[in-house]
Amino acid sequence: MDQEIKAKVDQWLEGSYDQDTKNEIKRLLQDNPTEAADSFYKELEFGTGGLRGIMGVGTNRMNKYTIGMATQGLANYLKKTVGGQEMKAAIAYDSRNNSDYFAEVTAKVFAANGIKVYLFDSLRPTPELSFAIRHLGCHTGVVLTASHNPKEYNGYKAYWADGGQLVPPHDKNVITEVQQIHSIEDVKWEGNEDLIEKISKEVDEPYLEMLEGNAISPETIKAEKDLKIVFTSIHGTGIVMVPEILKRLGFENVHVVEEQKEPNGNFPTVVYPNPEEAEALSIALKQAKELDADILLGTDPDADRVGIAIKNHKGEWVLLNGNQTAALLFNYVIENRKAEGLAKDNDFVCKTIVTTDLIDEFAKQQGMACYNVLTGFKFIAEVIKEKEGKENFIIGGEESYGYLVGDAVRDKDAVASAAMICEMAAHAKHQGKSLFDQLIDIYVKYGFYKEKLISITKKGMSGAEEIATMMKELRANPPASINGSELLEVRDYQSGIAKNIKTGEETAIDLPKSNVLQFFTADGSKISARPSGTEPKIKFYFSVNAKLDNKADFDKVDADLNDRIEGIIADMKLR
């Protein structure tokens, strides 16, 4: 074993760590030395979103000690920024193994530092934690979740007083404070536990009332109360709130998938608890077909993302991607707020730079501002905060199945989204249409935009280097054309410069620096390259578009656009 790794192992074996931890380290050293080395070869990095990693013993794992040290760093920053007044924090957790235990550890460290803690008494969706921070006047918040990662993982997401995840300058400042915690001896583990208050209904009720208030057309829901809905929480927190809000809105024909109803951190019925994956929704889809349902919805373990399935124009069940759902949702909210007399002159929407540009078209034609931000919902939350009191946020979203309706929450909210999606489906049905009919209508009116995402995983310690080399090569040698279409513009978000290839003119990109490249071609194609911040993979996003003159041409244009995307992928040698 590397001497540096061995020194870390010895520190844990000889230090004031609990005996169970030491026994597990000894077992790993004997039975699986490779795993032992991986558990200690580096520190689990506290990034701008917090912590995320495999659970286990060691410096590179999610455990009591890495979480305690992160919390101490966050507490130290809180004391420096808001000390002198009562400091308050809210904590929630999802259905993952150890999430409740990690939440207790977090609460105790906060309390030991003199911080008042509001701890949910049982699992809750991540968006309700965001709501609770603002509702209770907290300065920070933490949710224990690894979102849609496999069962071996857990995570620690930190929030600030606005209910959004950490953004500059707080993100870097908190990271700096966490990095100053070099030992578990630097952590205040016990004391002041009377500062920990358990919460439940006192936040649940205001949250649900807020969601009810989001409804644009309650009368339509009343008229289509028998809309046949199938819902799966995929063993996560969605079960706590989604059926309840649908019931309160008046939907009376909701079918919960029983096999996936029980919260369970082992996610026994799926390989991967991610509604982006068809396999995760396969049980629900079978039930939807048997019931001849109108719509199927599935939320991820912490209920901040939602996937849907509907019947297409041929009567076949299809899973919509995040861009298609976003297009339907944004269009519904924008058009029906106008129809119901709810629209304001200063309404705006917000999305990420890799989410469908169809939304920009909606906004342009409706005379409404659409702000584009970097990938990560915290940047949408930041725009909401900046515009508060000046402009009126109505909806935001990103292609990775995350959407937000209204500004009471400052993170993606699958509970609010599920409610609005069902209202949207009821509205379509009331007009004698399906949601897929609505999608085709949107394409005819605004243009047919088609998107695809592929992820290339590079595992092991060399993976990050391979990804860095790919990005370096794309920057140094951008293609002159892609799939036969001339390259017109390159946007490099790391340098902050957009370059016109024909004229050589360079303009500044008014967004924070980020390791993202975008290529725009003469035929309207857009290709984005972005290494993941949480996993050893690089993501490529493809967007193409064409005119759709009428519904009858849908299949032909759809096939043509798909061929264009596959042509781009082949030309860029990404397969």
Side-chain angles (χ1 to χ4, degrees), residues 21 26 41 84 165 171 236 238 273 320 341 449:
T21 293
K26 290 173 185 174
Y41 89 93
Q165 289 187 55
D171 54 356
L320 296 191
Y449 285 72

Side-chain angles (χ1 to χ4, degrees), residues 263-502:
N264 188 327
N266 292 317
F267 308 112
T269 64
V270 296
V271 175
Y272 201 49
N274 183 356
E276 289 183 85
E277 304 287 339
E279 182 271 334
L281 295 179
S282 59
I283 294 174
L285 193 55
K286 182 173 180 286
Q287 186 170 331
K289 288 176 180 177
E290 289 170 355
L291 291 168
D292 191 28
D294 294 300
I295 188 166
L296 152 65
L297 304 99
T299 53
D300 67 344
D302 66 323
D304 63 353
R305 303 190 312 153
V306 59
I308 73 171
I310 56 176
K311 282 180 276 191
N312 67 10
H313 58 307
K314 299 174 184 176
E316 304 161 337
W317 279 91
V318 291
L319 302 177
L320 296 191
N321 64 38
N323 285 299
Q324 291 170 313
T325 303
L328 282 165
L329 202 49
F330 274 69
N331 183 68
Y332 176 76
V333 170
I334 292 169
E335 291 200 345
N336 285 280
R337 277 175 56 82
K338 279 198 170 182
E340 296 289 338
L342 300 172
K344 297 178 181 177
D345 291 339
N346 62 348
D347 283 348
F348 77 92
V349 299
C350 193
K351 70 178 189 69
T352 65
I353 57 173
V354 295
T355 301
T356 180
D357 293 335
L358 184 51
I359 291 167
D360 297 88
E361 279 299 312
F362 297 161
K364 186 169 79 176
Q365 293 197 34
Q366 297 282 355
M368 179 184 295
C370 176
Y371 297 102
N372 280 265
V373 298
L374 295 176
T375 304
F377 222 88
K378 63 184 181 180
F379 296 114
I380 292 177
E382 188 178 28
V383 170
I384 298 171
K385 184 181 178 184
E386 286 171 359
K387 305 293 179 185
E388 203 164 14
K390 294 171 281 190
E391 297 180 43
N392 183 50
F393 171 80
I394 59 169
I395 187 169
E398 57 186 4
E399 50 72 43
S400 55
Y401 290 57
Y403 321 102
L404 173 63
V405 180
D407 67 354
V409 169
R410 300 296 169 88
D411 204 351
K412 48 190 178 286
D413 187 344
V415 186
S417 302
M420 190 59 73
I421 287 166
C422 288
E423 177 182 328
M424 178 174 75
H427 182 266
K429 190 170 184 179
H430 200 56
Q431 293 184 317
K433 295 181 176 182
S434 70
L435 281 180
F436 206 87
D437 291 331
Q438 295 278 42
L439 191 59
I440 296 175
D441 286 345
I442 289 168
Y443 292 153
V444 170
K445 184 174 180 180
Y446 297 101
F448 192 164
Y449 285 72
K450 190 174 182 71
E451 293 81 20
K452 184 167 185 168
L453 164 68
I454 62 170
S455 295
I456 300 171
T457 300
K458 300 288 185 181
K459 291 187 177 177
M461 296 184 193
S462 63
E465 291 176 17
E466 290 182 64
I467 290 169
T469 300
M470 289 176 74
M471 291 297 287
K472 187 177 179 181
E473 179 62 24
L474 283 169
R475 282 192 168 91
N477 301 296
S481 66
I482 300 174
N483 195 33
S485 183
E486 184 184 8
L487 184 67
L488 298 183
E489 182 183 358
V490 178
R491 293 181 194 171
D492 186 344
Y493 292 84
Q494 188 159 276
S495 67
I497 292 171
K499 183 176 181 178
N500 183 311
I501 302 303
K502 279 191 171 182

